[in-house]
Amino acid sequence: MSAPASTADARRALERCDELAGLSASAEGVERVHLSPEHARANALAARWMGELGMRTWSDQAGNQWGRLEGRAPGLPALVLGSHLDTVPDAGRYDGVLGVVSALEVARRLAPRAGQLPFALEVVAFSDEEGTRFSTALLGSCAVAGAWREEWWERTDREGVSVREAAERFGLDPSRIGEVARRPEDLVGYLELHIEQGPLLEAADRPLGVVTSIAGARRFTGRVVGEARHAGGTPYPRRRDALVGAAEVVLAVERLAVEADGIATVGRLQAHPGGVNVVPGLVELSLDVRAEHDEARDALVERVREHAQRSCARRRLAFELTETHTAAGVRCDEELQASVLAGIAATGDDAPPRIWSRAGHDAMAMAAITPVAMLFVRCADGISHAPQESVTLEDVAHGIDAFEAAVLDVARRRG
């Protein structure tokens, strides 16, 4: 790899990641969820940075923050760069955020030449990629893609606040959600820089990679239903212990996923009534299932469902599974991939790793209305969704250089 063109932009990008983290950081990590006060402060900060670049700024009715630089003529279709500002609980500083601030650095570099571009350049900070608050992901980008579902308004968080109520408190008008949708003819494409969230780049000793496809995820809430009884007074043959049944389900989820070369995770498990001397009568759990292709993912879901029902029935337990989120897998656009490859080649690596993304991204939703492509930046030990997320100044500098070069390659291809 050649030396990055400038580390100053990367240093500013990392400082901005720290500044955004400071809006919502605690001793445990960062948490910034959809339609929260922290979300509002993050949008305001991003809008200020966009304004400093001379961008026209606006926040849409889904809570996404936008900035736009016109191209060589007003009103041209836009090439959109961006990622998301929301986080999971106890998060790190770079998931999503690095993509937003890196897009701003590219816009900073190109602003003096924006009038020569054959498209407008837009930067977006999506509002809800993770789905942390309302247990359904990609709310911000789905609204932009015209895929908003009316039933989402009634989803509630742990305090019983609905999406509709939270939106109104945030200053949004739910009746205007349709205005968020963008028309395909108004877009050139969508490019996203993101930390890899996996160990492949580090294992290959490479700072950057190009994404070939994004795995579609399906998410569920599950219930194992038994009978709560006194722990001391109930002999084992009479027990219908929901937690023991759920434990068997969790172990089977891992085994079946490994056998199918897929990914399935139980991330949340809660036993009720939760007394130390009570046989659990109900366990609620989450289930996240992914695979490189949707057909393999869906087959894995059915294997998990069938095995869980059989194993629970043997213990006289009921097993219920309710789908809360589904997103189709996405293949990145070949031409935009070529531009990302050209961008990475400009940094000195003409054969970067090609990676299918196990994690979901806003690019999945945007693919419904425009071509998409992604660039991965190495993260230490592949750790993400944790305070230990870490990137290096040099890798981020290479990422910004490649991101800018990719945009210029798109411009070259469009003439």
Side-chain angles (χ1 to χ4, degrees):
M1 298 287 291
S2 59
S6 171
T7 57
D9 295 347
R11 186 172 290 109
R12 180 170 43 244
L14 293 177
E15 288 171 351
R16 288 181 167 181
C17 289
D18 290 342
E19 191 171 354
L20 283 161
L23 298 177
S24 50
S26 67
E28 292 75 30
V30 178
E31 183 168 352
R32 185 170 48 252
V33 300
H34 187 42
L35 303 177
S36 65
E38 294 82 8
H39 173 189
R41 291 195 288 269
N43 272 12
L45 195 54
R48 192 188 83 198
W49 293 333
M50 292 170 177
E52 290 170 354
L53 302 180
M55 306 185 90
R56 177 172 67 87
T57 66
W58 70 98
S59 181
D60 65 29
Q61 295 298 324
N64 303 308
Q65 179 61 46
W66 296 82
R68 178 180 171 103
L69 292 171
E70 296 295 342
R72 62 190 177 201
L76 289 173
L79 178 65
V80 181
L81 317 179
S83 194
H84 60 97
L85 290 180
D86 68 310
T87 74
V88 297
D90 195 24
R93 294 171 180 249
Y94 305 111
D95 178 3
V97 173
L98 183 64
V100 175
V101 298
S102 295
L104 287 171
E105 291 307 315
V106 172
R108 179 188 302 279
R109 292 182 179 188
L110 295 179
R113 295 174 281 163
Q116 303 170 24
L117 294 174
F119 45 71
L121 190 68
E122 293 184 1
V123 173
V124 60
F126 284 117
S127 60
D128 182 66
E129 188 258 15
E130 302 288 3
T132 298
R133 183 174 182 184
F134 298 105
S135 299
T136 189
L138 304 174
L139 290 179
S141 47
C142 278
V144 174
W148 185 267
R149 299 179 185 176
E150 283 300 308
E151 61 264 29
W152 288 343
W153 290 120
E154 310 314 317
R155 296 194 66 85
T156 57
D157 63 14
R158 293 183 180 181
E159 282 70 50
V161 178
S162 69
V163 176
R164 183 184 301 277
E165 292 168 331
E168 291 171 345
R169 294 177 189 177
F170 197 79
L172 307 179
D173 183 350
S175 69
R176 297 175 58 194
I177 192 67
E179 297 175 11
V180 179
R182 301 293 294 270
R183 300 186 306 171
E185 58 266 32
D186 291 336
L187 300 173
V188 169
Y190 173 75
L191 292 176
E192 182 171 356
L193 178 149
H194 206 284
I195 60 172
E196 182 197 354
Q197 301 179 284
L200 301 181
L201 287 174
E202 187 172 80
D205 193 26
R206 309 286 270 282
L208 307 175
V210 61
V211 178
T212 56
S213 62
I214 308 168
R218 292 178 67 184
R219 295 179 183 173
F220 302 82
T221 56
R223 286 163 46 96
V224 179
V225 183
E227 182 181 37
R229 296 183 63 144
H230 195 290
T234 308
Y236 281 106
R238 297 290 300 275
R239 292 189 180 204
R240 296 171 58 212
D241 189 326
L243 185 54
V244 174
E248 289 189 346
V249 170
V250 173
L251 290 171
V253 164
E254 180 186 55
R255 177 177 58 78
L256 293 169
V258 170
E259 290 174 357
D261 195 25
I263 304 169
T265 305
V266 176
R268 186 168 60 241
L269 197 70
Q270 188 168 6
H272 302 277
V276 297
N277 59 346
V278 181
V279 175
L282 170 67
V283 171
E284 297 174 315
L285 57 87
S286 65
L287 176 64
D288 179 294
V289 184
R290 307 165 191 243
E292 183 173 6
H293 303 296
D294 289 352
E295 297 81 5
R297 176 204 63 191
D298 295 345
L300 176 55
V301 168
E302 292 312 308
R303 283 195 289 272
V304 168
R305 189 196 310 270
E306 292 168 4
H307 185 281
Q309 288 172 341
R310 288 197 305 269
S311 66
C312 286
R314 285 195 297 268
R315 292 182 171 273
R316 296 178 295 117
L317 305 169
F319 178 76
E320 305 165 1
L321 199 60
T322 302
E323 191 157 13
T324 59
H325 168 79
T326 183
V330 166
R331 296 183 185 276
C332 292
D333 179 74
E334 292 290 339
E335 187 169 324
L336 281 185
Q337 276 190 68
S339 290
V340 172
L341 285 165
I344 297 174
T347 70
D349 185 355
D350 58 4
R354 297 170 183 253
I355 300 170
W356 69 273
S357 176
R358 280 75 170 166
H361 301 283
D362 288 299
M364 301 173 71
M366 292 296 287
I369 55 170
T370 196
V372 303
M374 291 188 67
L375 164 68
F376 272 168
V377 175
R378 172 171 52 190
C379 57
D381 198 31
I383 294 174
S384 182
H385 283 191
Q388 293 77 30
E389 275 181 1
S390 180
V391 294
T392 69
L393 180 68
E394 186 176 51
D395 284 358
V396 173
H398 280 304
I400 293 171
D401 287 350
F403 206 5
E404 178 195 21
V407 171
L408 293 174
D409 190 76
V410 176
R412 179 188 63 78
R413 291 170 184 270
R414 291 184 65 86

